[in-house]
Amino acid sequence: MAPSLRRVVAMAPLRLRVLAAAGELDRPVRWVAVSELEDPTPFLEGGELVLTTGMRLGAYDAGPYISRLVKMGAAGLGFGVGLSHEEVPEEYVRVANARGLPLIEVHRDTPFIAIGKAVSELLAAEQYEELSRAFAAQGRLTRAALQPEGMHAIVDRLAKEVDGWVLLLDESEKAHPDLFNI
C-alpha cells in the first residue's frame, strides 16, 4: 500500500503546506511526477503527486489543468513557489478546493527531488514491511503443516492469516465440511 499524501505532507524537512482540499489528504501517493507541461496527463497513470513550478501556467489555466489532473486520478498537486510564481495563484487554490484536489505549496528551498526521494523511501519501507509480514505468515503456515492435525491445522492457520474463511476441496471438488474456519 502506498503512503498517504497526509504522511508525505507531515514530513517536516520538506516544508510542504496544504492550501486546498485538506480533507482529501488520505489519498495514496504511488509516485511523484515533475512536469512543466500544460497537460502532463498523457504521462501519468493515476495516484501521482504532480509537482510543477507553473512556468507555463497562468491563472486562466487553473480550471482546465486541475480538471485534467482530477480526471486522471492524481493524488495531489504540488506547486513550487519562488521561481515562476512568488505564491500559488489564488485561482488554483479556488479551483483545487472546488474539485477536491489537494494543492500543496512547495517552498522555494525544497527541491522537487527531495520530495521524490522521500516518497520513494516510504514506498520501499512499506514494500519491505509487506514482504516481512508475508515471510512471517509463510513460517507460521509451515509450522502448521508440521502439526499432527495436518490439513486441519493449515486451514485453521490460513483462515487466521487472511482473517476470513478458508474452504478446502478434495480432488473431486467436494468441500470437506470439517475443514473450514468461520
Side-chain angles (χ1 to χ4, degrees):
M1 180 156 176
S4 70
L5 185 53
R6 181 178 313 284
R7 189 167 176 199
V8 175
V9 169
M11 299 177 82
L14 298 178
R15 300 176 62 186
L16 303 175
R17 186 167 67 111
V18 180
L19 300 180
E24 300 292 327
L25 294 178
D26 292 321
R27 297 171 178 208
V29 177
R30 291 183 173 77
W31 202 246
V32 173
V34 177
S35 179
E36 296 301 337
L37 296 174
E38 292 172 6
D39 181 7
T41 58
F43 305 97
L44 303 177
E45 294 180 348
E48 295 90 355
L49 172 58
V50 178
L51 303 178
T52 186
T53 62
M55 76 170 42
R56 299 177 75 186
L57 300 173
Y60 53 88
D61 295 311
Y65 185 81
I66 289 173
S67 293
R68 287 190 295 266
L69 292 180
V70 168
K71 185 176 180 183
M72 179 50 69
L77 173 61
F79 205 107
V81 295
L83 292 172
S84 302
H85 300 270
E86 286 306 310
E87 58 186 34
V88 177
E90 185 57 40
E91 189 65 13
Y92 283 83
V93 176
R94 188 186 66 71
V95 173
N97 257 326
R99 294 301 200 117
L101 181 71
L103 176 60
I104 313 298
E105 179 185 82
V106 180
H107 191 272
R108 169 74 171 97
D109 294 336
T110 302
F112 284 179
I113 191 74
I115 300 168
K117 283 181 177 180
V119 168
S120 181
E121 289 169 4
L122 290 172
L123 287 166
E126 289 191 10
Q127 287 174 347
Y128 177 79
E129 193 173 310
E130 260 182 47
L131 283 173
S132 295
R133 284 192 305 269
F135 282 133
Q138 180 184 15
R140 290 187 293 271
L141 285 167
T142 300
R143 285 189 296 282
L146 299 173
Q147 296 300 312
E149 299 85 22
M151 285 188 295
H152 297 284
I154 294 171
V155 169
D156 187 52
R157 180 75 251 165
L158 184 56
K160 289 175 181 159
E161 293 295 333
V162 300
D163 192 26
W165 292 20
V166 173
L167 178 64
L168 176 65
L169 301 174
D170 68 12
E171 53 278 345
S172 68
E173 296 186 13
K174 292 183 181 175
H176 292 272
D178 60 332
L179 295 180
F180 63 94
N181 189 320
I182 298 177

